[in-house]
Amino acid sequence: MYITSSILVLAASSLAAAAGNHSQAWWKEGIVYQVYPSSFKESRSNDSIGWGDIKGITSKLDHIHDLGADIVWLSPFYDSPLQDMGYDISDYKSVNDIFGGSLEDIKEFISEVHRRGMRCLFDLVINHTSDKHQWFETSASSKNSSLRDRYFWREPKILPNGTQAPPNNWLGSNGGSAWHFDNRTGEYYLGLFNDFQPDLNWDNATNRQAIFNDALNFWLDFGIDGFRMDAFSIFSKPAGLPDVPANDTGLHDARPLYNDGPHEHEYLREMTRECLAGRDTFTVGEYGMSDNMTSVQEYIGASRKEVNSIFLTNMCDIGRDGYKPTAWNLTGWRDAINFTQAAGSRTVGGSVYLENHDLPRSISRFGDDSPEYRVQSGKALAMLLSTLSGTLFLYQGQEIGMINVPSNWTINDYQDANSISYYDGVVKDGGNVTEALHNLTRLSRDNARTPFNWDRSGSFSSNTTSWTPAANLDINLADQINDSDSVYSFWAEMIRLRKSHKDVFVYGEFEFIDLDSPDFLAYRKKNDASEATVIINLSKNAGKPPVNVAKHSKLLAQTQQNCSSTIYSPFEGRVYHL
Ligand code: NOJ
């Protein structure tokens, strides 16, 4: 999938030459902090239920602000059966009871965010709803329902032997068919993610208007500043929902058919006209297939009027095949980094991140989470992210270097439906369950979802068990906040540095200055007037860096306090400025 380094370096530098001066914007410079409501902070104490809530989040906004973040992204808090932790919405215009159930709480949250000079993004999940949404209940009730066309319904396909089968051969992301049979009318509906997440039919203009009104304008009128758009490149499905061309009767990955669908750009521009135009907002789309540079750039850039920015998965895709860890090295990671940097370079409309609620913890994946190297590798990754181009996204707990769940977790500790169905699949196939559990501790989404470790006593009330177990409580904010050598203090320092040198770190052009080292990443960020050189040892080997730094360069940041040697210690990084 990855393009070779040398081609990408050329691509990146020719784009850079064409780029000229980038227009500046608050969302390009802003640091986004993602909050996963169920695991952040609970406001209830005596009657604690072990779940975070909106009031709890509001009570901790100073933490986000003090870190230096400017934009708070709130993952879903809407009414939902929570089968996919809120990415299955049953009422867009509501607050789930478990998060406090009150629109007043959300109003207070927005006004407290704004009072601190920050902005807020809500999660926009409009490729699908929950099957408990009133729209779906009505749609499913009868073939003549006024909302039948809000979702995709099809008759079963009759096979030559007379048996019934799903309408086409699309594979769903849960491993079975993307079609789900509904007894009420004897037809199948499309649910690309899960049976409880039916896909909305965007080809009907009335449907689009209903989505715009409920999911976007309702909240924009509340005063929010934009959206993180879930699965934003698959709203438009190909006409006729054709089979994936195949010589067999099995199920097939249909993403090449429905990603960047025929009307995708048109629908996004309609959304801009109907909801966002005239408002000072930021939108960032979650992009599933990011190896095509042209497609990426067709979404971003002011003239497109589609989305401001896009998440590219390249850096996070490496080293895994589903739940299986695979070998990776810095050559592959450099290719991925090059792609994300080149993709955003014309517009600075890219993004940079290594964690979110769907990903394991970055120290465990790209650093080393052993007690010996955890802090050093956390700082090295902080240096990397803070010096790359693209809007910088941090996920709760990343700023204190939280790591994956302990290896002694049993399957009963896991909560994510995807983790459980992966494990059940292995059991059903008679596979190796010990290996499956190992894979879950490395790659499951549960790794990111353990409660935020505010202090050693646990995240929520000590009287109750939280919805998902707390993990690694020795890594907590209270222990780090006054320690100048902590991961937290280093993140705060790097965020300050990114802002004070935004000319190079946010708006500068990126270029690798070494493409060969198996241990070091070395790159330059530069604009017309100044440049920075970043050298990071991402290995456990002490060693000499592969490049020399220009004379007169000033040391701007270092992961190791008081270090002056020419040899870099394990996971040591330095930033020089000229
Ligand atoms: C992407 C979200 O980030 C993920 O958590 C969710 O399961 C799927 N989209 C489906 O909404």
Side-chain angles (χ1 to χ4, degrees):
M1 279 293 195
Y2 295 118
I3 305 173
T4 64
S5 309
S6 47
I7 297 175
L8 270 166
V9 167
L10 281 177
S13 48
S14 57
L15 284 174
N21 284 334
H22 296 301
S23 66
Q24 306 203 346
W26 58 266
W27 54 266
K28 294 180 182 177
E29 299 166 16
I31 315 290
V32 185
Y33 184 98
Q34 181 189 355
V35 171
Y36 197 63
S38 49
S39 295
F40 194 58
K41 175 73 191 159
E42 181 171 21
S43 68
R44 299 161 278 233
S45 52
N46 295 334
D47 55 348
S48 168
I49 56 169
W51 272 79
D53 55 24
I54 302 296
K55 273 189 176 304
I57 300 167
T58 307
S59 74
K60 289 294 186 186
L61 286 175
D62 280 341
H63 165 65
I64 299 174
H65 185 248
D66 292 348
L67 177 67
D70 313 273
I71 304 168
V72 188
W73 153 22
L74 214 52
S75 277
F77 54 81
Y78 317 98
D79 270 359
S80 159
L82 299 170
Q83 283 170 281
D84 188 18
M85 291 305 291
Y87 287 87
D88 48 331
I89 298 172
S90 54
D91 179 0
Y92 288 105
K93 304 192 284 185
S94 63
V95 178
N96 200 312
D97 284 345
I98 210 152
F99 298 125
S102 153
L103 287 177
E104 287 310 308
D105 291 356
I106 278 287
K107 271 193 191 147
E108 186 193 14
F109 165 80
I110 297 169
S111 97
E112 287 297 311
V113 166
H114 288 160
R115 193 170 68 75
R116 288 168 176 79
M118 301 192 291
R119 318 221 190 193
C120 57
L121 305 184
F122 284 1
D123 226 300
L124 185 65
V125 189
I126 50 177
N127 172 68
H128 47 269
T129 64
S130 157
D131 62 346
K132 298 294 176 301
H133 195 293
Q134 192 55 51
W135 293 346
F136 187 76
E137 301 273 7
T138 309
S139 180
S141 64
S142 139
K143 286 186 186 170
N144 300 322
S145 157
S146 58
L147 295 186
R148 188 67 170 173
D149 196 38
R150 187 140 300 182
Y151 299 86
F152 295 99
W153 292 96
R154 294 290 182 276
E155 288 177 353
K157 185 155 78 185
I158 307 297
L159 299 177
N161 65 6
T163 55
Q164 296 193 346
N168 71 21
N169 65 358
W170 291 9
L171 179 70
S173 57
N174 60 2
S177 170
W179 292 91
H180 313 283
F181 189 72
D182 193 297
N183 278 326
R184 285 167 281 193
T185 55
E187 290 193 336
Y188 283 87
Y189 62 90
L190 182 69
L192 289 174
F193 287 97
N194 278 296
D195 56 351
F196 55 83
Q197 289 167 311
D199 280 56
L200 284 159
N201 174 9
W202 275 71
D203 293 327
N204 176 317
T206 310
N207 294 350
R208 296 199 296 277
Q209 207 53 56
I211 297 167
F212 296 157
N213 289 344
D214 278 26
L216 285 102
N217 285 332
F218 179 79
W219 291 111
L220 288 165
D221 292 344
F222 257 67
I224 67 164
D225 305 287
F227 295 102
R228 173 266 184 190
M229 292 190 193
D230 193 76
F232 92 112
S233 60
I234 64 170
F235 300 159
S236 164
K237 310 293 191 289
L241 309 175
D243 273 327
V244 179
N247 296 326
D248 57 43
T249 54
L251 296 171
H252 291 275
D253 180 2
R255 283 175 302 170
L257 289 182
Y258 62 72
N259 192 52
D260 305 328
H263 301 285
E264 195 63 37
H265 297 290
E266 183 188 319
Y267 295 160
L268 290 172
R269 286 198 286 266
E270 182 179 335
M271 178 190 295
T272 300
R273 282 196 308 279
E274 296 290 319
C275 309
L276 303 161
R279 310 195 205 233
D280 183 18
T281 51
F282 171 44
T283 51
V284 52
E286 181 207 26
Y287 199 48
M289 297 184 83
S290 50
D291 55 342
N292 183 327
M293 184 74 77
T294 314
S295 309
V296 167
Q297 293 194 329
E298 279 174 355
Y299 286 113
I300 54 180
S303 63
R304 300 295 307 173
K305 299 197 182 330
E306 296 185 18
V307 289
N308 297 118
S309 178
I310 192 167
F311 287 126
L312 296 170
T313 58
N314 310 56
M315 281 176 78
C316 302
D317 285 345
I318 201 159
R320 70 183 300 173
D321 175 9
Y323 279 99
K324 268 205 166 63
T326 57
W328 68 280
N329 57 32
L330 284 191
T331 305
W333 221 30
R334 269 189 288 265
D335 287 347
I337 293 171
N338 247 331
F339 185 92
T340 62
Q341 295 299 286
S345 77
R346 273 191 206 149
T347 56
V348 198
S351 63
V352 54
Y353 68 98
L354 285 180
E355 290 191 22
N356 63 36
H357 63 290
D358 292 333
L359 294 169
R361 293 293 185 176
S362 56
I363 293 179
S364 302
R365 245 183 116 192
F366 305 110
D368 186 312
D369 62 10
S370 67
E372 197 178 353
Y373 296 121
R374 177 174 60 73
V375 171
Q376 282 317 316
S377 62
K379 291 182 185 181
L381 293 172
M383 179 172 277
L384 170 69
L385 289 172
S386 320
T387 51
L388 291 178
S389 303
T391 302
L392 173 56
F393 287 79
L394 258 96
Y395 177 72
Q396 66 184 45
Q398 190 175 0
E399 76 278 28
I400 55 170
M402 284 179 69
I403 59 174
N404 280 356
V405 303
S407 53
N408 63 2
W409 266 34
T410 70
I411 191 59
N412 297 329
D413 293 315
Y414 288 89
Q415 307 297 322
D416 178 24
N418 289 5
S419 304
I420 295 165
S421 80
Y422 160 70
Y423 181 86
D424 287 349
V426 173
V427 172
K428 195 166 143 235
D429 296 345
N432 183 336
V433 287
T434 311
E435 185 184 304
L437 277 178
H438 170 77
N439 291 349
L440 287 175
T441 62
R442 303 316 301 160
L443 292 169
S444 75
R445 308 198 294 185
D446 296 78
N447 286 301
R449 300 179 179 185
T450 61
F452 186 96
N453 292 343
W454 296 102
D455 56 37
R456 275 169 191 260
S457 70
S459 313
F460 302 139
S461 159
S462 50
N463 305 328
T464 185
T465 324
S466 51
W467 72 275
T468 186
N472 308 306
L473 284 164
D474 53 323
I475 305 170
N476 64 76
L477 180 68
D479 285 353
Q480 294 188 28
I481 201 152
N482 296 318
D483 172 0
S484 64
D485 206 17
S486 66
V487 174
Y488 170 83
S489 299
F490 191 73
W491 259 112
E493 181 190 332
M494 286 310 299
I495 288 174
R496 278 194 299 275
L497 192 80
R498 182 175 174 86
K499 290 181 173 179
S500 60
H501 290 77
K502 65 180 184 181
D503 56 335
V504 281
F505 296 128
V506 177
Y507 296 107
E509 295 301 338
F510 171 91
E511 185 188 20
F512 271 121
I513 44 181
D514 169 78
L515 292 173
D516 296 324
S517 169
D519 292 340
F520 281 81
L521 291 178
Y523 51 91
R524 202 169 280 133
K525 292 296 297 287
K526 82 187 200 198
N527 69 6
D528 296 344
S530 65
E531 70 179 55
T533 301
V534 183
I535 303 174
I536 305 173
N537 181 2
L538 270 180
S539 78
K540 287 191 257 189
N541 312 319
K544 255 183 116 117
V547 294
N548 292 320
V549 179
K551 273 192 189 143
H552 314 301
S553 295
K554 185 177 147 223
L555 185 62
L556 210 56
Q558 54 188 337
T559 54
Q560 226 84 324
Q561 288 185 342
N562 311 318
C563 181
S564 57
S565 158
T566 51
I567 301 293
Y568 279 49
S569 46
F571 296 105
E572 179 173 356
R574 302 181 197 174
V575 180
Y576 294 90
H577 192 239
L578 194 61

